[in-house]
Amino acid sequence: MELKLFKRWNNIIALSVLIISSITYLLTIESTASFWDCGEFIASSYKLEVGHPPGNPVFQLFARIFTLFGDASSAAVLVNALSALCSAFTIFFLYLTIVHFGKRIIEITGDALTTSNAIALFGAGIVGSLAYCWSDTFWFSAVEGEVYAMSSLFTAVVFWAMLKWEDQADQPYANRWIILIAFLMGLSIGVH
């Protein structure tokens, strides 16, 4: 399979995985606060106050942006939607990571990127990412106003950026990926 065609199909399938996971989580979000820290996170994000130590300022700032699209009665749903979208993007980056590793395995073994290999890669990415999407633990933290969804997103994006840097390490300006990784890791400290 031609590399350009592979990339096009990979992008289409990655977007499809993002849409499927977004719909899954947004249709199943909590309508109010759950019984643990979620209520505190929702209230402190809506009022932009300090939560319990050590705090989570990055999560609260993003959650506050989401609560600007509604009033106090919809704050819980909006913060829960933030978690749902963060989780959906985590699944998106997981798909890209699985396909990247599969493609590396094919290159290491010396096989060509045939149509059947491409279909196997796409299938592995779809099955792996959607299996994680619908797993019990991840789904439960994806539909409530907790910090775990955003923390997972930062982890997934940093890992994906490391793979992008590895691909382009010998090219000019490849260090921009290192800067992005450092920036995202610094932001992630304020999430959880």
Side-chain angles (χ1 to χ4, degrees):
M1 175 178 267
E2 200 176 299
L3 188 60
K4 189 174 182 181
L5 182 62
F6 175 83
K7 287 183 179 181
R8 182 179 304 139
W9 273 105
N10 190 36
N11 292 338
I12 290 169
I13 294 171
L15 286 174
S16 301
V17 166
L18 175 64
I19 290 168
I20 290 168
S21 57
S22 295
I23 289 171
T24 298
Y25 296 143
L26 289 172
L27 288 177
T28 59
I29 59 173
E30 297 274 347
S31 58
T32 61
S34 300
F35 289 115
W36 31 88
D37 294 341
C38 303
E40 176 196 354
F41 290 146
I42 291 166
S44 61
S45 296
Y46 181 72
K47 295 285 191 176
L48 209 53
E49 296 175 347
V50 178
H52 67 270
N56 46 8
V58 173
F59 175 81
Q60 288 183 332
L61 286 172
F62 278 104
R64 177 61 183 145
I65 291 169
F66 268 66
T67 62
L68 293 175
F69 296 104
D71 56 358
S73 63
S74 61
V77 172
L78 293 169
V79 174
N80 293 340
L82 167 67
S83 290
L85 292 175
C86 285
S87 295
F89 275 99
T90 300
I91 300 302
F92 170 79
F93 284 107
L94 176 61
Y95 169 82
L96 293 176
T97 300
I98 291 170
V99 171
H100 176 86
F101 277 131
K103 191 167 172 270
R104 293 281 313 274
I105 290 171
I106 288 174
E107 290 171 356
I108 288 171
T109 59
D111 294 338
L113 187 60
T114 62
T115 303
S116 60
N117 284 343
I119 291 171
L121 285 176
F122 298 148
I126 292 168
V127 169
S129 60
L130 291 181
Y132 190 59
C133 171
W134 295 321
S135 68
D136 234 13
T137 305
F138 192 75
W139 195 339
F140 283 141
S141 65
V143 296
E144 61 187 11
E146 252 300 352
V147 294
Y148 304 122
M150 188 176 285
S151 181
S152 296
L153 175 60
F154 273 100
T155 302
V157 174
V158 165
F159 195 82
W160 173 80
M162 288 190 298
L163 297 175
K164 293 296 284 183
W165 171 76
E166 180 192 29
D167 279 349
Q168 302 174 8
D170 297 333
Q171 298 175 7
Y173 308 109
N175 288 341
R176 65 184 174 185
W177 290 105
I178 299 292
I179 302 296
L180 176 65
I181 291 165
F183 176 70
L184 291 174
M185 288 177 76
L187 279 180
S188 71
I189 293 169
V191 172
H192 184 238

